[in-house]
Amino acid sequence: MIKSRIVMLAALALSCSSAMAAGETLRVGADLTYPPFQFRDVNGKPTGFEIDITNAVCKAVEVKCEYVVSSFDAEIPSLLAKKVDFISPLGATVKRKKSIDFSDFIFHIPSQLVARKGVNLLPTPESLKGKNIAVQQGSIQEMYANKYWAPAGVVVKTYPDQDVIYQDLAAGRLDGSLAPAVAVTFGFLQKPEGKDFTLTGPEVRDDVLFSRGSAYGVRKGDEKTLTLLNQGLAKIVADGTWEKIKQHYFGDIEMKVTPVKASDAAQ
């Protein structure tokens, strides 16, 4: 009898939790200058791979997503200031885990150097010495370039968004950029202004600076939002929605992370 009552109370608590979640609005920090992951469509509406995934996650747990747009480097400060409830996928790095929590992994993409075809630049300090190399402000690529390249004489230039980097690459004001390879491949390189550029050299890795994948950022201690996001993510992976969205943007490119929680992953 006591056991039955405990089970009933647990089920009631779960039901109440779901009811509380249904219809809520979660404010999502987003940087809409990073096609095909996040950008505005012709009507100014947020769209892209990460936006579609996030909309699907919110729909799966019956909450509404409301996007709060800012620059990438302002997203974590906005989260800590409670201007947003969670932020769009970003690398779950050791440094970031000191200030925020992360959901389960959503995807992984390698970082590579993009440069003009035929110049034979490689992502090494020796090859890039004296060259102007751009990174997005606040990104793991910026941390890598400042740690390994800047001390060796590489001119590391930070930009608030990737679109401006692409513009300066095409205009010849930059020699290259360290950026997520998929974003470059399915964004810049597919545009007319990117036709003379290519990804060069191997993936750039660092076991401390880089993470195994990208995940939603949540304020420390906000277990409710974290649980909702993980539940929604699990649902869209299980029912094939995640794969359908990934196929739409990136085809057969493998972007899944070996099942493990971003909060527990060794870097």
Side-chain angles (χ1 to χ4, degrees):
M1 181 70 179
I2 295 177
K3 183 177 180 180
S4 298
R5 181 175 176 78
I6 292 174
V7 171
M8 182 178 71
L9 289 174
L12 180 61
L14 180 61
S15 174
C16 289
S17 175
S18 298
M20 288 174 62
E24 281 191 23
T25 296
L26 291 178
R27 300 163 301 167
V28 190
D31 168 21
L32 302 180
T33 63
Y34 215 63
F37 289 88
Q38 300 182 47
F39 61 100
R40 295 183 186 276
D41 64 15
V42 293
N43 298 313
K45 183 180 178 181
T47 190
F49 173 69
E50 293 178 353
I51 302 297
D52 288 358
I53 290 290
T54 302
N55 287 339
V57 166
C58 289
K59 181 179 179 180
V61 291
E62 300 181 334
V63 297
K64 180 183 178 182
C65 290
E66 179 181 280
Y67 293 96
V68 179
V69 182
S70 67
S71 61
F72 179 79
D73 63 314
E75 289 182 346
I76 291 180
S78 293
L79 178 68
L80 298 178
K82 298 186 177 181
K83 295 179 180 179
V84 297
D85 298 301
F86 69 96
I87 52 181
S88 298
L90 72 165
T93 64
V94 171
K95 181 179 180 180
R96 289 170 180 160
K97 287 179 185 178
K98 293 178 180 178
S99 58
I100 64 175
D101 285 338
F102 284 92
S103 70
D104 294 343
F105 285 124
I106 304 166
F107 62 88
H108 166 73
I109 51 175
S111 293
Q112 285 185 262
L113 180 70
V114 57
R116 193 172 293 274
K117 294 176 181 177
V119 298
N120 299 318
L121 288 182
L122 293 174
T124 64
E126 297 78 16
S127 179
L128 300 178
K129 185 176 182 179
K131 304 296 184 182
N132 294 311
I133 304 299
V135 288
Q136 186 173 14
Q137 188 173 325
S139 67
I140 55 177
Q141 291 80 22
E142 178 189 19
M143 290 187 283
Y144 182 93
N146 283 333
K147 179 177 179 179
Y148 292 107
W149 293 352
V154 181
V155 182
V156 178
K157 296 193 171 184
T158 59
Y159 285 71
D161 64 71
Q162 198 70 25
D163 279 344
V164 181
I165 291 178
Y166 295 153
Q167 292 170 17
D168 279 6
L169 273 172
R173 289 186 284 269
L174 293 168
D175 297 295
S177 172
L178 182 62
V182 174
V184 174
T185 300
F186 290 88
F188 180 57
L189 297 185
Q190 290 191 346
K191 296 179 179 179
E193 55 268 33
K195 64 181 178 65
D196 295 326
F197 293 82
T198 187
L199 291 170
T200 178
E203 173 183 359
V204 169
R205 290 289 310 163
D206 181 276
D207 290 339
V208 174
L209 295 181
F210 289 6
S211 73
R212 297 180 67 250
S214 294
Y216 293 120
V218 180
R219 277 187 299 278
K220 283 189 174 296
D222 187 358
E223 293 297 328
K224 180 181 177 182
T225 300
L226 189 63
T227 298
L228 281 174
L229 293 174
N230 286 339
Q231 288 176 344
L233 182 59
K235 286 181 180 180
I236 69 167
V237 169
D239 68 14
T241 301
W242 184 96
E243 181 64 26
K244 182 178 179 180
I245 295 172
K246 193 272 297 182
Q247 283 283 340
H248 172 74
Y249 285 96
F250 305 119
D252 293 329
I253 288 180
E254 182 56 62
M255 296 174 64
K256 283 186 178 179
V257 181
T258 303
V260 63
K261 293 182 181 299
S263 56
D264 299 333
Q267 303 302 309

